[in-house]
């Protein structure tokens, strides 16, 4: 899970970090918090995205993508 401050306003930095993680460790499930829950508070965004995204992926719903 990639979560950066103020990413709800500008998702570019999270996307760059995610791309680096996917290049270095392609076997990891990666996602950006702002894509899953684009709200102003990073704690709530991180907790929601951390719990919601892997749970839906395991259930077969797939990774949330935007």
């Amino acid at each position: 899970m990639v979560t950066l401050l103020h990413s709800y306003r500008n998702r570019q930095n999270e996307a760059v970090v995610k791309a680096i993680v996917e290049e270095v460790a392609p076997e990891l499930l990666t996602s950006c918090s702002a894509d899953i829950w684009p709200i102003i508070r990073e704690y709530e965004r991180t907790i929601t995205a951390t719990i919601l995204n892997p749970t839906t992926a395991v259930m077969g719903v797939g990774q949330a993508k935007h």
Side-chain angles (χ1 to χ4, degrees):
M1 174 57 57
V2 178
T3 304
L4 302 175
L5 287 173
H6 308 298
S7 60
Y8 63 94
R9 293 186 73 170
N10 182 354
R11 300 168 186 209
Q12 290 178 325
N13 291 334
E14 277 193 354
V16 169
V17 173
K18 180 183 177 199
I20 292 169
V21 171
E22 289 175 338
E23 183 177 325
V24 173
E27 71 280 1
L28 296 178
L29 173 67
T30 57
S31 55
C32 296
S33 66
D35 291 339
I36 297 170
W37 194 261
I39 59 171
I40 193 169
R41 299 188 177 278
E42 72 279 353
Y43 176 79
E44 290 84 348
R45 188 173 66 245
T46 302
I47 294 301
T48 301
T50 302
I51 294 169
L52 178 64
N53 197 45
T55 302
T56 57
V58 169
M59 294 172 57
V61 176
Q63 183 178 3
K65 294 182 181 178
H66 292 269

